[in-house]
Amino acid sequence: MNKELFISRLNFAIKTRNYTQYSLSKKTGINKGSLSSYMSGKYLPKQDKIYILSDALDVNPEWLMCSSDDMELNLPNEFGFDEDSEVGSYPFIEDSVSAGVPNLISGYNYLNHIQIPDFFLGRYAGRKDIVVLKVNGDSMNKIIPDDSIIVVLQDVPLSSLSTDDIVVFSYNYEYGVKKLIKDKSNNRLIFRPESHESCFEDLIVNYGDTNLQIIGKVIMYNVML
């Protein structure tokens, strides 16, 4: 198991499933010290703990073990749901993030919609400020593989975002998806790639830079089949 990739995926799953170390410890019965060690990479969990974590986080254990790119469990279509599942319909912008997306959905005269099961979105199900995008490129391939689709919660204030949140943003009219680092001591924001390739670099932007716009926060993703 790739330790670096496992750390990224575990932390991403914990964040997107809205757990804390304390709440995940209570859910799984794994003590907080062990969870902290898994999250930092001090040591890796044994297979039985992988399955416990996967069950609690509702993710594919093969994904957590880094042997699959499919985060979700047993998904027979784009997002995975059986015909009896409750589903919602959400706008789908087929242009890749790296190729640019409009600042507002209303920039399009017409948008296709994609169905997503409520169980997949959890507490976000039914929200009107969700948009689905496609990711093209390898700058985040430690966490989000090329050709994935991402679910984005729009118009999240910068003050509500945390370090390590994954965001879609525009800077000087170029769009991207990166991990956000809030460097408050230096009054700047860092947009960091999470890639197996070494060619990608941080984008550093000062707080208040008017060329920056946060489009939204990535709340989930799935590989496009």
Side-chain angles (χ1 to χ4, degrees):
M1 183 161 54
N2 183 312
K3 180 188 286 189
E4 193 175 72
L5 181 56
F6 168 77
I7 294 168
S8 294
R9 289 185 171 184
L10 177 61
N11 281 277
F12 180 78
I14 289 171
K15 247 186 180 317
T16 56
R17 296 325 195 209
N18 297 300
Y19 276 102
T20 63
Q21 282 190 42
Y22 175 76
S23 62
L24 187 57
S25 176
K26 287 193 67 176
K27 175 79 172 178
T28 61
I30 299 172
N31 67 61
K32 288 193 292 181
S34 294
L35 284 175
S36 179
S37 295
Y38 300 158
M39 294 169 71
S40 67
K42 185 177 180 180
Y43 61 87
L44 296 174
K46 294 181 179 179
Q47 191 171 57
D48 62 325
K49 295 296 191 294
I50 288 281
Y51 282 106
I52 291 171
L53 288 167
S54 300
D55 183 61
L57 295 167
D58 195 26
V59 299
N60 179 3
E62 299 297 324
W63 174 82
L64 199 55
M65 288 188 286
C66 311
S67 57
S68 170
D69 285 334
D70 196 346
M71 180 179 178
E72 303 303 322
L73 283 162
N74 301 320
L75 303 183
N77 53 42
E78 288 131 322
F79 281 96
F81 55 94
D82 60 45
E83 293 182 357
D84 296 325
S85 298
E86 293 293 327
V87 299
S89 183
Y90 302 90
F92 178 40
I93 299 176
E94 297 184 47
D95 294 336
S96 299
V97 172
S98 61
V101 296
N103 289 350
L104 300 170
I105 293 178
S106 58
Y108 280 114
N109 292 324
Y110 175 78
L111 279 174
N112 290 321
H113 280 64
I114 190 169
Q115 288 190 317
I116 306 177
D118 288 352
F119 75 79
F120 185 85
L121 288 179
R123 67 188 181 91
Y124 296 107
R127 291 187 58 148
K128 302 300 184 184
D129 50 357
I130 282 176
V131 65
V132 182
L133 305 170
K134 187 176 179 182
V135 172
N136 179 23
D138 293 320
S139 66
M140 290 294 291
N141 63 13
K142 283 185 180 179
I143 302 172
I144 304 177
D146 179 32
D147 214 29
S148 296
I149 45 179
I150 56 176
V151 181
V152 179
L153 185 65
Q154 299 183 95
D155 302 323
V156 179
L158 182 58
S159 59
S160 298
L161 294 170
S162 303
T163 287
D164 292 336
D165 280 342
I166 297 175
V167 298
V168 177
F169 66 96
S170 69
Y171 186 67
N172 287 333
Y173 302 103
E174 293 186 5
Y175 293 81
V177 54
K178 298 286 185 294
K179 180 181 285 188
L180 173 67
I181 309 294
K182 285 186 168 182
D183 183 6
K184 294 182 179 179
S185 60
N186 292 303
N187 197 39
R188 63 183 188 171
L189 300 169
I190 301 171
F191 296 91
R192 178 155 294 165
E194 289 286 337
S195 178
H196 295 297
E197 314 299 328
S198 60
C199 57
F200 299 102
E201 299 180 346
D202 290 350
L203 171 66
I204 300 173
V205 179
N206 291 326
Y207 271 95
D209 191 324
T210 56
N211 293 310
L212 173 69
Q213 181 182 7
I214 304 293
I215 305 301
K217 174 182 173 180
V218 177
I219 55 173
M220 294 192 186
Y221 81 89
N222 195 56
V223 178
M224 182 71 93
L225 300 177

